[in-house]
PDB file of all heavy atoms in Angstrom:
ATOM      1  N   TYR G 256       4.118  -2.256  20.642  1.00  0.00           N
ATOM      2  CA  TYR G 256       3.568  -3.485  20.070  1.00  0.00           C
ATOM      3  C   TYR G 256       4.211  -3.877  18.742  1.00  0.00           C
ATOM      4  O   TYR G 256       4.419  -5.050  18.476  1.00  0.00           O
ATOM      5  CB  TYR G 256       2.054  -3.341  19.913  1.00  0.00           C
ATOM      6  CG  TYR G 256       1.341  -3.248  21.238  1.00  0.00           C
ATOM      7  CD1 TYR G 256       0.934  -2.021  21.750  1.00  0.00           C
ATOM      8  CD2 TYR G 256       1.105  -4.396  21.993  1.00  0.00           C
ATOM      9  CE1 TYR G 256       0.300  -1.934  22.988  1.00  0.00           C
ATOM     10  CE2 TYR G 256       0.460  -4.312  23.223  1.00  0.00           C
ATOM     11  CZ  TYR G 256       0.070  -3.081  23.714  1.00  0.00           C
ATOM     12  OH  TYR G 256      -0.544  -3.012  24.939  1.00  0.00           O
ATOM     13  N   GLY G 257       4.503  -2.911  17.876  1.00  0.00           N
ATOM     14  CA  GLY G 257       5.247  -3.193  16.654  1.00  0.00           C
ATOM     15  C   GLY G 257       4.472  -3.906  15.566  1.00  0.00           C
ATOM     16  O   GLY G 257       3.249  -3.780  15.438  1.00  0.00           O
ATOM     17  N   LYS G 258       5.210  -4.705  14.791  1.00  0.00           N
ATOM     18  CA  LYS G 258       4.703  -5.322  13.566  1.00  0.00           C
ATOM     19  C   LYS G 258       3.613  -6.354  13.845  1.00  0.00           C
ATOM     20  O   LYS G 258       3.570  -6.972  14.906  1.00  0.00           O
ATOM     21  CB  LYS G 258       5.862  -5.973  12.806  1.00  0.00           C
ATOM     22  CG  LYS G 258       5.535  -6.436  11.410  1.00  0.00           C
ATOM     23  CD  LYS G 258       6.765  -6.966  10.704  1.00  0.00           C
ATOM     24  CE  LYS G 258       6.456  -7.394   9.276  1.00  0.00           C
ATOM     25  NZ  LYS G 258       7.646  -7.891   8.569  1.00  0.00           N
ATOM     26  N   ASN G 259       2.722  -6.532  12.825  1.00  0.00           N
ATOM     27  CA  ASN G 259       1.651  -7.540  12.871  1.00  0.00           C
ATOM     28  C   ASN G 259       0.727  -7.351  14.067  1.00  0.00           C
ATOM     29  O   ASN G 259       0.289  -8.311  14.705  1.00  0.00           O
ATOM     30  CB  ASN G 259       2.236  -8.958  12.870  1.00  0.00           C
ATOM     31  CG  ASN G 259       2.916  -9.295  11.562  1.00  0.00           C
ATOM     32  OD1 ASN G 259       2.530  -8.801  10.504  1.00  0.00           O
ATOM     33  ND2 ASN G 259       3.945 -10.116  11.623  1.00  0.00           N
ATOM     34  N   THR G 260       0.446  -6.088  14.374  1.00  0.00           N
ATOM     35  CA  THR G 260      -0.508  -5.747  15.429  1.00  0.00           C
ATOM     36  C   THR G 260      -1.726  -5.088  14.802  1.00  0.00           C
ATOM     37  O   THR G 260      -1.594  -4.294  13.872  1.00  0.00           O
ATOM     38  CB  THR G 260       0.126  -4.777  16.450  1.00  0.00           C
ATOM     39  OG1 THR G 260       1.233  -5.414  17.077  1.00  0.00           O
ATOM     40  CG2 THR G 260      -0.885  -4.356  17.515  1.00  0.00           C
ATOM     41  N   LEU G 261      -2.893  -5.421  15.306  1.00  0.00           N
ATOM     42  CA  LEU G 261      -4.127  -4.745  14.897  1.00  0.00           C
ATOM     43  C   LEU G 261      -4.533  -3.805  16.018  1.00  0.00           C
ATOM     44  O   LEU G 261      -4.865  -4.247  17.121  1.00  0.00           O
ATOM     45  CB  LEU G 261      -5.243  -5.745  14.625  1.00  0.00           C
ATOM     46  CG  LEU G 261      -6.608  -5.117  14.277  1.00  0.00           C
ATOM     47  CD1 LEU G 261      -6.537  -4.389  12.942  1.00  0.00           C
ATOM     48  CD2 LEU G 261      -7.713  -6.177  14.254  1.00  0.00           C
ATOM     49  N   PHE G 262      -4.474  -2.497  15.748  1.00  0.00           N
ATOM     50  CA  PHE G 262      -4.919  -1.496  16.711  1.00  0.00           C
ATOM     51  C   PHE G 262      -6.382  -1.152  16.411  1.00  0.00           C
ATOM     52  O   PHE G 262      -6.722  -0.799  15.281  1.00  0.00           O
ATOM     53  CB  PHE G 262      -4.069  -0.226  16.609  1.00  0.00           C
ATOM     54  CG  PHE G 262      -2.645  -0.418  17.047  1.00  0.00           C
ATOM     55  CD1 PHE G 262      -1.634  -0.609  16.110  1.00  0.00           C
ATOM     56  CD2 PHE G 262      -2.305  -0.411  18.395  1.00  0.00           C
ATOM     57  CE1 PHE G 262      -0.320  -0.779  16.503  1.00  0.00           C
ATOM     58  CE2 PHE G 262      -0.986  -0.577  18.798  1.00  0.00           C
ATOM     59  CZ  PHE G 262       0.007  -0.770  17.857  1.00  0.00           C
ATOM     60  N   VAL G 263      -7.215  -1.239  17.423  1.00  0.00           N
ATOM     61  CA  VAL G 263      -8.645  -0.981  17.264  1.00  0.00           C
ATOM     62  C   VAL G 263      -8.985   0.325  17.982  1.00  0.00           C
ATOM     63  O   VAL G 263      -8.886   0.406  19.205  1.00  0.00           O
ATOM     64  CB  VAL G 263      -9.497  -2.130  17.834  1.00  0.00           C
ATOM     65  CG1 VAL G 263     -10.968  -1.929  17.482  1.00  0.00           C
ATOM     66  CG2 VAL G 263      -8.994  -3.482  17.330  1.00  0.00           C
ATOM     67  N   LEU G 264      -9.356   1.342  17.213  1.00  0.00           N
ATOM     68  CA  LEU G 264      -9.689   2.651  17.766  1.00  0.00           C
ATOM     69  C   LEU G 264     -11.166   2.945  17.573  1.00  0.00           C
ATOM     70  O   LEU G 264     -11.859   2.268  16.813  1.00  0.00           O
ATOM     71  CB  LEU G 264      -8.859   3.750  17.096  1.00  0.00           C
ATOM     72  CG  LEU G 264      -7.411   3.919  17.563  1.00  0.00           C
ATOM     73  CD1 LEU G 264      -6.524   2.802  17.019  1.00  0.00           C
ATOM     74  CD2 LEU G 264      -6.852   5.255  17.114  1.00  0.00           C
TER      75      LEU G 264
END
Side-chain angles (χ1 to χ4, degrees):
Y256 293 100
K258 190 176 182 179
N259 293 329
T260 298
L261 176 66
F262 292 99
V263 188
L264 281 75

